[in-house]
Every structure is written in structure tokens, then in C-alpha cells.
Amino acid sequence: MSALRSVSSDARTPPDRLAHFAAPLGCGILAAFGAVVGQGVLVGALFAPAVMLPFGLLLLVGIAFANAAILRSATGRRRIGLAVVLTLLLPVAIGASLAAQGELPLAPHHGVPAPVVIGAFIAGISTFALPRWAKLVGGLTVVLVAALYAWHAVSEAAQKSAAVRASDAAVREEMYDNVLPGATTTLAGAGVDLRKLTAEIAEVGVDRDGRELTITMSAWGDPGEEDPDGFACWLLTGGESWEAAQTYADFADRCRIVDGGWASPDGLTFGTYRKGYWVTVDAGRAATAEDVTAVADTLADVPEAVRRAYWDAALDLSGS
């Protein structure tokens, strides 16, 4: 009889096979529930950390005990370590999803709710306590969830990158639309160089066999009700404040009316309106009044390709 009692006491009833299915299902549902509540805890912690943080800690402890109970019922053995791992994976998974998405509540992963994805991942990990065939299914589930998450992360990153590029391009285009058209010369044999292009000023350098000139367009427009000759001469001479009711007579000693515009008495500076903007031609090193006249008579728009290339290079250089 003693032998029979010994055999009876050592015999162990293997867990029901259904428990092998119940374990990952239970752990997965528990994790999905924790993911839903956990998001609320994170939001609440921003406003009432003294209440929500202890509540979150108690929630994790409760989930850990529940995981341990589920694993023991499925395997007939204590799986404290695995239960702790499954529990700690929950906040890690929420944190990883939050880091990837940057906002709460967590958005679905390609149509699959984030708590379901997290629950499936943790359910797959829980099968490591089960027989080999269950481990295989669980491992495949983990790989599938990881692939889904990676696909989602890469897709999100690509979409954000594309949105940033589109936004940057739109901003650059808007800025480009506001810059001045600029003025250059078609004078034969003259070398031209676009030096500056902004919404306020456009400057082109001209080299005529070593004689240098500068064509400048600035954002001055119609003089309105002011005397047009007086206003133009004020722009040409500069250096003083404009006073209402001034006329050409106030500048006659420093400015003369010429064909197509206005010029300084020595002819080394010429000014005119072009496309509604004020344009000047200034003689530089070794340039003569004849050079100024030759350039002024051949003013033209800065080619679009030149403007675009300069603007793009300037923005790339500034990192905009």
C-alpha cells in the first residue's frame, strides 16, 4: 500500500491541451487591456502624476500576478520570470509605439488597433512557456507583429519625410515668388553676374572689358501723387528723407531727365522704372558715362533659369 501511495503522490496530471491555447489568449487579452488603460494612465499622469503614477504601478503589479496565474494554469509550473517579462514588455511596447507616432491615443498599425498589435506580440512571447509546437506558432506571431510594426514605422517615416520635403519645397517656392525679377543687360561682349536676389533688392554685376558696372533693382514702385521726376531724382541721389510736395526743381542741380529715365550730371549713374521697380545703372571701376548709357539702353530681364539656379544655390548654402 505504501508503494501505491508513493506512485499516486508523485503522479502529475498534465495540463489540458486547451490551456495551451488559453495561455497566449489570456496573456494577449490582458496585454491589450493594459495597453488601452496604460494610454489613459500616461495622459492622466500629465495632469495628476501623484494619483496616476501609483495607479499605473498597481496596474502593472496586478497584470504581473494575472500573467503568473495564467501561465501556471497552462503549464502546471510557476513561471514568475516570464510573467514579469510579459508585464514589463507592456510599457516598453507602449513607449515604442508612442516614440514612433509621437501622440496619444496610439494610431492603428495599418488598420490594426495598437492594443491588438501589442497584445498579439506579448501573446506570442507567452508561448515560450509552452510545448515546441506552441513556441513555433508564438515565434511566427512575434515575427509577424515585428514585421508589421517595422513596416508601419518605415511607412510613417517615409510619409513624414515626404511631407517635410513637400512643405520645404512649398516654402521655398513661396519665397521665390516674392523675390524681385531683377534686371541685366544684353550688351554684346559684356559679362554679367547675378550677385544678389531677394524680395528687396536684385543686383547684377557687369564687366565690359575690365570696366565694371552694377545694375540694381530695388522694391520702389510708383511715386503715387508725388512729382514723378522729383521722386525719381530723389531715388537716384538718395541720402536724404523724402518730403512731401518736393518737385524736380529741388533736385535739378543733381539730376537731369534723359531718354528713358534720369541720370546724374556726370552720367555715371542712370535710373529708370522697369516692371514697376526702380532700376539703377552705376559706373564702377574704370567705367565711363558711355558704358552706363550702353548698359541702360540694353536692359533686359534676368533669365528665369539664372534666377532659379541662383536662388536654389543660395537656399542650399544657407541650409533653408
Side-chain angles (χ1 to χ4, degrees), residues 21 32 73 104 120 127 150 174-175 195 222 227 231-232 240-241 244 247 256 261 263 303 315 317:
F21 295 97
S73 68
L104 289 172
T127 62
E174 183 179 356
M175 294 171 64
R195 297 173 179 170
D222 193 297
D227 173 49
F231 192 75
E240 62 186 55
S241 299
T247 65
R256 56 192 175 93
L315 288 184
L317 188 63

Side-chain angles (χ1 to χ4, degrees), residues 154-170:
V154 170
S155 176
E156 284 285 318
Q159 290 177 10
K160 289 180 181 179
S161 179
V164 169
R165 287 196 301 270
S167 176
D168 289 346

Side-chain angles (χ1 to χ4, degrees), residues 119-146:
F121 178 76
I122 292 178
I125 298 294
S126 72
T127 62
F128 292 175
L130 302 177
R132 183 176 300 175
W133 63 269
K135 288 186 176 70
L136 178 61
V137 175
L140 290 175
T141 302
V142 171
V143 171
L144 179 62
V145 172

Side-chain angles (χ1 to χ4, degrees), residues 14 17-18 28 51-52 71 96 114 151 156 187 196 198 207 209 230 252 261-262 269 288:
R17 278 186 173 274
L18 290 179
V51 175
M52 298 308 294
L71 292 175
W151 181 24
E156 284 285 318
L187 186 61
K196 185 179 296 185
T198 70
D207 185 344
D209 296 327
W262 301 264
T269 301
T288 65

Side-chain angles (χ1 to χ4, degrees), residues 20-291:
H20 293 161
F21 295 97
L25 184 62
C27 290
I29 292 175
L30 193 61
F33 168 76
V36 173
V37 178
Q39 295 179 66
V41 171
L42 284 178
V43 174
L46 298 176
F47 304 97
V51 175
M52 298 308 294
L53 290 179
F55 174 76
L57 183 59
L58 287 175
L59 176 66
L60 287 177
V61 172
I63 291 176
F65 276 106
N67 278 326
I70 291 171
L71 292 175
R72 179 158 187 167
S73 68
T75 64
R77 299 173 58 186
R78 299 176 64 185
R79 298 283 186 172
I80 302 300
L82 183 58
V84 172
V85 169
L86 296 178
T87 304
L88 294 180
L89 280 176
L90 177 58
V92 170
I94 295 174
S97 295
L98 179 59
Q101 298 182 19
E103 60 183 2
L104 289 172
L106 298 175
H109 293 266
H110 288 284
V112 182
V116 174
V117 176
I118 293 172
F121 178 76
I122 292 178
I125 298 294
S126 72
T127 62
F128 292 175
L130 302 177
R132 183 176 300 175
W133 63 269
K135 288 186 176 70
L136 178 61
V137 175
L140 290 175
T141 302
V142 171
V143 171
L144 179 62
V145 172
L148 178 66
Y149 179 83
W151 181 24
H152 180 83
V154 170
S155 176
E156 284 285 318
Q159 290 177 10
K160 289 180 181 179
S161 179
V164 169
R165 287 196 301 270
S167 176
D168 289 346
V171 170
R172 288 172 66 135
E173 197 62 29
E174 183 179 356
M175 294 171 64
Y176 179 74
D177 290 342
N178 292 328
V179 301
L180 298 183
T184 185
T185 178
T186 57
L187 186 61
V192 294
D193 174 35
L194 180 58
R195 297 173 179 170
K196 185 179 296 185
L197 185 64
T198 70
E200 302 296 329
I201 190 170
E203 185 178 291
V204 172
V206 180
D207 185 344
R208 194 183 187 200
D209 296 327
R211 302 189 299 279
E212 299 175 358
L213 302 95
T214 301
I215 304 172
T216 304
M217 175 181 281
S218 55
W220 289 99
D222 193 297
E225 298 180 358
E226 303 295 341
D227 173 49
D229 291 324
F231 192 75
C233 285
W234 172 72
L235 291 175
L236 188 74
T237 56
E240 62 186 55
S241 299
W242 172 258
E243 296 180 11
Q246 283 185 304
T247 65
Y248 172 69
D250 296 302
F251 302 93
D253 59 331
R254 293 170 287 164
C255 175
R256 56 192 175 93
I257 301 174
V258 297
D259 232 2
W262 301 264
S264 60
D266 57 10
L268 295 179
T269 301
F270 169 83
T272 189
Y273 286 106
R274 182 175 179 81
K275 293 185 176 294
Y277 300 101
W278 177 249
V279 176
T280 60
V281 179
D282 296 288
R285 183 173 61 87
T288 65
E290 289 73 20
D291 294 318

